[in-house]
Amino acid sequence: MLVDAGANIGLTCAVMGLAAPEHARLLAVEPDARNIPLLERNLAGNGLERAEVAQVALGREEGMALFRAPVRDSATGHVIADLERNLVPHG
């Protein structure tokens, strides 16, 4: 399996997929929802319909987190807080 972690709009995934044998599994991981339509379009446009797109962030553990995606640069989004460990107590 080939994994593009932080796939953005799919350029690296497309290059990997085009160079890989047809039986190779492709996984494009991209947390920023704004990039997903272009990612899917670029993969399909390169004949890589076999690629799976996962709209998630990667981390050491499973959980929920806050993700900051700058308005003008969709390539530099990042996790800013682990919601399960950084909860603000109420009251």
Side-chain angles (χ1 to χ4, degrees), residues 2-17 26-44 46 48 51-58 67 73-78:
L2 301 171
V3 178
D4 185 359
N8 195 263
I9 62 170
L11 300 179
T12 299
C13 192
V15 170
M16 288 190 308
L26 301 171
L27 175 60
V29 179
E30 175 54 44
D32 193 334
R34 299 173 300 173
N35 292 332
I36 300 299
L38 286 171
L39 171 59
E40 291 174 338
R41 188 177 318 140
N42 286 335
L43 294 173
N46 282 287
L48 297 170
E52 178 184 344
V53 174
Q55 187 183 337
V56 297
L58 297 177
F67 181 79
D73 184 0
S74 67
T76 60
H78 56 281

